[in-house]
Amino acid sequence: MLTSRVPAAVDALVAVLRAAPGLADVTVVDGPPAVNLTDRRLLFVGWQPGGETAVSLTQTFNSAGARTRDEAFQIAGYIEARTGDKDMQATRSKAFAILGEIETALRATNDSPDAPTLGGAVLWAHLTAGDLSQAQAEGSVAGLAFTVTCQARI
């Protein structure tokens, strides 16, 4: 018996983002970094700096009779944009451009009508929260923690 749509949804989100044309020059990482990555544009799915939770979920009965359950969950993510200079505005714009590509990848279009369902893994998924951090360290760094919220039926 299926107990959660979380594994399928995370896998599908990683695949959708890796296939998104607007993210072709962004390194999409499944989970936390395993090595010291030097790429200037990174996108992590299921990880945020300082966070212990990759996904948080809740389940409730869908209706009387306990035949199906509704599941709501939030997938943590993190964008990091770096430049070799001190131009914070440009670096921040790059981070938000990546966030915009995530939003685009999750929107239904004529070419991808099932995008909000992550290919059928969930009933819907959408971008719901974000927190910007900025630093100057060997150039400017903009970090953008974000949340993709999903609804599923199991």
Side-chain angles (χ1 to χ4, degrees), residues 50-150:
E52 298 295 322
T53 303
V55 179
S56 62
L57 65 106
T58 58
Q59 294 182 357
T60 59
F61 288 116
N62 175 36
S63 60
R67 293 180 185 264
T68 60
R69 293 177 62 78
D70 287 330
E71 181 177 46
F73 53 94
Q74 296 77 40
I75 303 171
Y78 183 70
I79 297 162
E80 186 173 279
R82 296 178 169 271
T83 61
D85 58 33
K86 301 289 184 189
D87 186 352
M88 187 55 71
Q89 187 277 332
T91 308
R92 183 175 49 249
S93 292
K94 289 177 183 182
F96 275 91
I98 295 169
L99 187 70
E101 292 298 332
I102 295 168
E103 176 69 25
T104 298
L106 293 175
R107 282 195 182 161
T109 63
N110 289 338
D111 293 334
S112 185
D114 65 342
T117 69
L118 298 175
V122 296
L123 296 173
W124 70 82
H126 58 126
L127 195 59
T128 56
D131 292 300
L132 175 67
S133 60
Q134 302 178 131
Q136 294 287 355
E138 298 179 17
S140 57
V141 179
L144 187 52
F146 66 92
T147 303
V148 173
T149 299
C150 302

